[in-house]
Amino acid sequence: MELELSEEQEALRQTVEDFARKEVAPVIGGFYEREEFPYDLVAKMGRMGLFGLPVSEEHGGMGGDYTALCIALEELGRVDSSVAITLEAGVSLGLMPIYRFGTDAQKARWLPSLVAGEHLGAFGLTEPGGGSDAGATRTTARLDGDEWVINGSKSFITNSGTDITSVVTVTAITGERDGGKKEISAILVPSGTPGFSVAPKYSKVGWNASDTHELSFDDCRVPAENLLGERGRGYAQFLSILDEGRVAIAALGTGLAQGCVDESVRYAHEREAFGHPIGSYQAIQFKIAEMETRAHTSRLAWYAAAAKMQACKPFKKEAAIAKLVSSNAAMDNARDATQVFGGYGFMNEFPVGRFYRDAKILEIGEGTSEVQKMLIARQLGL
């Protein structure tokens, strides 16, 4: 197994690292504290081609693969998670369902602007009463002539209420299967459709420069051709998208874990206590060494999952392992980095304070840690 990046991948990594350090780092703290969406940074990522990394050139993309996206996400995550999750959700949840399952007409309508980062897409799966039970969908969609009529609500939806959000893919019950099981389908709902409303943004603990809303649908009508993929396959389609997304989230979490190491090493050289830099004390050295070990292990986990995915081999277990390991690493490293910084780690002006606030959601979003353990156990035949 090749663990080194290719020349092309390393060039991409360096480009995104440079962007993150020079463009994102100097301004993101202000966006974060103002809880303001960074439109200019998103536009710059679009012009860099980051939203089109795993999309073919035929559809306006860079012709790369999912590994390229993950490399970019890790580098962004080393500096800020809000910007990183905007890219991750915009690609894996926004445009990839259309890219994977859309008709030629749907791809022609939606992909060009999504790939360019001019618009954002979102995916409405989670519901207020569902949480980890994604199959507990209550939102309904019934055919009325040549239109779907959608009623229900979705919660915690990323990129769903920005000024550049153009479409939300919504899972809804469209019928009943034999034995009384729900038939769940995915339907594209353009922003601004009558009956589709976006609640005010959530007040969140972290990811404060990213966009998250609750959505509601009240007799919302969209054309029948807005069905995405096969009727009744919406839930299954999303599960396959979620497996890919977990590898991407693992890369983001790895970036946060590595960012904690970066900041702690820098601070350990600068900060003095009892007449010496704190990095000269073994207690600090050991703590940072453990942090680096977690970040390194997390990177190996997402590399392994991405390698199997790119080889078109089953990777569900590896994706779950990567998600679990990286979210644990991010949370543990954020806590330890805050300890290294002492009182300054509790101040929002320092990146580690932001890292600490951002890390927790990685153990929850796109499948909780408990769900990842369940998936791993199932793959082991338990």
Side-chain angles (χ1 to χ4, degrees):
M1 178 181 174
E2 181 59 60
L3 296 178
E4 294 293 327
L5 299 181
S6 67
E7 289 185 12
E8 185 177 356
Q9 290 171 331
E10 177 59 21
L12 169 66
R13 190 202 66 75
Q14 291 181 9
T15 298
V16 180
E17 178 187 30
D18 189 62
F19 168 73
R21 298 294 178 192
K22 294 180 179 179
E23 302 284 344
V24 179
V27 300
I28 195 59
F31 282 105
Y32 197 92
E33 292 308 314
R34 295 191 302 269
E35 299 185 5
E36 180 182 340
F37 189 77
Y39 288 101
D40 287 347
L41 294 177
V42 172
K44 289 178 181 179
M45 289 194 293
R47 291 193 292 270
M48 291 170 65
L50 300 189
F51 286 92
L53 282 173
V55 179
S56 67
E57 295 179 5
E58 174 189 0
H59 294 290
M62 301 294 288
D65 53 31
Y66 220 82
T67 300
L69 172 65
C70 292
I71 291 169
L73 289 170
E74 180 177 336
E75 290 306 314
L76 290 171
R78 287 176 69 173
V79 171
D80 179 70
S81 291
S82 292
V83 171
I85 194 59
T86 298
L87 175 63
E88 192 279 334
V91 177
S92 70
L93 302 179
L95 69 85
M96 288 306 286
I98 300 172
Y99 183 56
R100 297 290 192 210
F101 308 114
T103 63
D104 289 341
Q106 290 168 344
K107 292 176 183 178
R109 177 180 179 184
W110 300 110
L111 285 183
S113 62
L114 295 176
V115 168
E118 297 169 351
H119 288 144
L120 292 173
F123 202 108
L125 174 74
T126 304
E127 299 194 357
S132 294
D133 185 6
T137 300
R138 293 185 179 181
T139 298
T140 62
R142 61 177 177 83
L143 269 177
D144 181 20
D146 59 356
E147 292 182 318
W148 291 105
V149 182
I150 307 172
N151 285 280
S153 61
K154 301 292 179 178
S155 56
F156 314 129
I157 310 304
T158 304
N159 292 346
S160 59
T162 73
D163 293 342
I164 58 174
T165 300
S166 62
V167 63
V168 178
T169 304
V170 177
T171 52
I173 302 169
T174 52
E176 190 174 287
R177 296 185 179 278
D178 293 339
K181 291 185 177 181
K182 300 174 182 176
E183 175 192 85
I184 298 178
S185 303
I187 300 171
L188 296 165
V189 181
S191 297
T193 301
F196 170 28
S197 59
V198 180
K201 64 183 180 182
Y202 290 102
S203 176
K204 297 176 294 187
V205 171
W207 285 3
N208 284 348
S210 74
D211 179 79
T212 318
H213 298 265
E214 183 171 348
L215 312 178
S216 62
F217 304 89
D218 183 11
D219 285 340
C220 175
R221 290 177 174 268
V222 298
E225 61 262 27
N226 280 26
L227 178 71
L228 182 63
E230 182 182 343
R231 177 169 176 168
R233 294 284 298 168
Y235 184 56
Q237 290 168 6
F238 184 74
L239 289 181
S240 68
I241 289 293
L242 202 59
D243 286 336
E244 295 181 355
R246 284 173 179 143
V247 183
I249 286 289
L252 190 161
T254 300
L256 192 156
Q258 190 65 58
C260 289
V261 177
D262 298 341
E263 293 297 323
S264 295
V265 169
R266 179 189 60 77
Y267 189 73
H269 284 297
E270 296 176 355
R271 173 70 168 171
E272 290 192 358
F274 306 106
H276 299 280
I278 62 173
S280 66
Y281 297 111
Q282 205 170 60
I284 299 297
Q285 293 173 358
F286 282 8
K287 189 177 291 293
I288 296 177
E290 288 180 357
M291 292 165 63
E292 175 68 10
T293 300
R294 295 186 195 114
H296 180 76
T297 303
S298 178
R299 184 173 299 108
L300 294 179
W302 85 248
Y303 276 17
K308 295 201 76 171
M309 177 174 61
Q310 296 301 155
C312 298
K313 296 179 179 179
F315 67 98
K316 183 180 289 290
K317 181 182 72 175
E318 287 76 13
I321 290 173
K323 169 68 163 60
L324 180 63
V325 169
S326 69
S327 57
N328 286 342
M331 194 67 196
D332 289 343
N333 278 15
R335 183 186 61 247
D336 283 352
T338 303
Q339 195 71 17
V340 169
F341 272 68
Y344 290 109
F346 202 61
M347 301 296 112
N348 285 326
E349 64 186 279
F350 288 88
V352 295
R354 192 168 70 244
F355 292 164
Y356 191 74
R357 293 164 67 179
D358 289 339
K360 181 57 190 175
I361 189 60
L362 295 173
E363 297 183 316
I364 299 171
E366 293 206 33
T368 64
S369 294
E370 290 76 16
V371 166
Q372 306 314 312
K373 293 174 184 178
M374 178 184 70
L375 292 172
I376 295 165
R378 285 180 179 175
Q379 293 297 306
L380 293 174
L382 299 174

